[in-house]
Amino acid sequence: MKLIIQIPCYNEAETLEIALNDLPKHIDGIDEIEYLIINDGSHDNTVEVAKKWGVNYVVNFKNNKGLARGFMAGLDAALRNGADIIVNTDADNQYVGADIEKIVRPILDGEAGMVIGERPIDQTEHFSPLKKKLQHLGSWVVRKASVTDVPDAPSGFRAYSRHTAMRLNVINDYTYTLETIVQAGRRKMAVKSVPIRTNPELRPSRLFHSMFGYVKKSMLTISRALMQYKPLYCFTWIAAVFGIIGGAALIRFLVFYFQGTGYGHVQSLVIGCMMLTIAILAFFIGLLGDTIAANRRLLEEIQFELRKMDYGLSDEEKKKDEDKSYIEGDA
């Protein structure tokens, strides 16, 4: 059983060695632990620090591609190098390295394919009261969108089984944290959260420059992911809102019309017809989106099979395939 711990890096020379020194060297149930960094276009000596420390793999981007692209590149490299479990952590040593054992344990025990570390948000001193409230609100929205019970959706401290990692696809360029939860929940993947600890802040977050920008990008990411995986559900709600408004406007016009004063309320008729037209268009867009989503699911299954051929199967998956062949042969 091989574990690869990946760390996305962008100008992290000052903190990377601290984070690397905190990582575990042995975990019960894991035969081999390797380390990988994703150099996302750093301008400092991040790569030199990593190589001097002794990381096993370095994924290099010449220009900054963003957290989501870096995350997927790290998964690709880890899978190609035989990882059975992949852990993603931060280069600023936000998370306690010893807690990696906590987040890989549910995978080792066969309880989950994705495990998310739940930070003690209310007890984190460098989080402002506003940030704490927004973190809770954002996690609540993600839980509703993904139909999961993840209490800390923005947490980047995560573990993935090989099988789950091969099924992930991140479309947006902002962050992988929210989209992957919505994706996993809508695909009925086994997702679990475990409480973890955090270290004191070494540097400010680079993911967002303002609270408003963070909220805006997060909501756009959640909305986009939900529309991708549940388009008919989303657009039916949009159609319902416009339909109710349009129906109310038409009823208002008809009431005045039968009272003999409809000529003075033509605007209600115009607004009602316009709102109902938008509602019908939204519903048909939802139907079209649902058809596209069904095709995407087929393409994702094809991609998964291609990834299995490209990356190879884990020992557990090979055993399952052997058992399946044996049963089919007997039949």
Side-chain angles (χ1 to χ4, degrees), residues 273-321:
C273 291
M274 184 171 60
M275 293 293 105
L276 288 178
T277 300
I278 294 173
I280 293 170
L281 288 174
F283 180 72
F284 279 103
I285 290 172
L287 290 176
L288 179 61
D290 193 56
T291 302
I292 294 172
N295 288 331
R296 184 173 58 250
R297 286 194 292 271
L298 292 174
L299 291 173
E300 287 172 348
E301 287 299 322
I302 294 172
Q303 182 188 54
F304 175 66
E305 295 299 326
L306 290 173
R307 281 177 171 174
K308 287 200 296 185
M309 295 169 61
D310 189 17
Y311 299 140
L313 298 175
S314 65
D315 292 340
E316 183 180 351
E317 288 172 323
K318 287 177 182 177
K319 185 177 184 305
K320 287 181 179 179
D321 276 5

Side-chain angles (χ1 to χ4, degrees), residues 110-125:
E111 298 174 359
M114 178 191 297
V115 183
I116 300 170
E118 178 191 351
R119 296 168 295 176
I121 293 173
D122 292 327
Q123 287 74 47
T124 303
E125 295 181 358

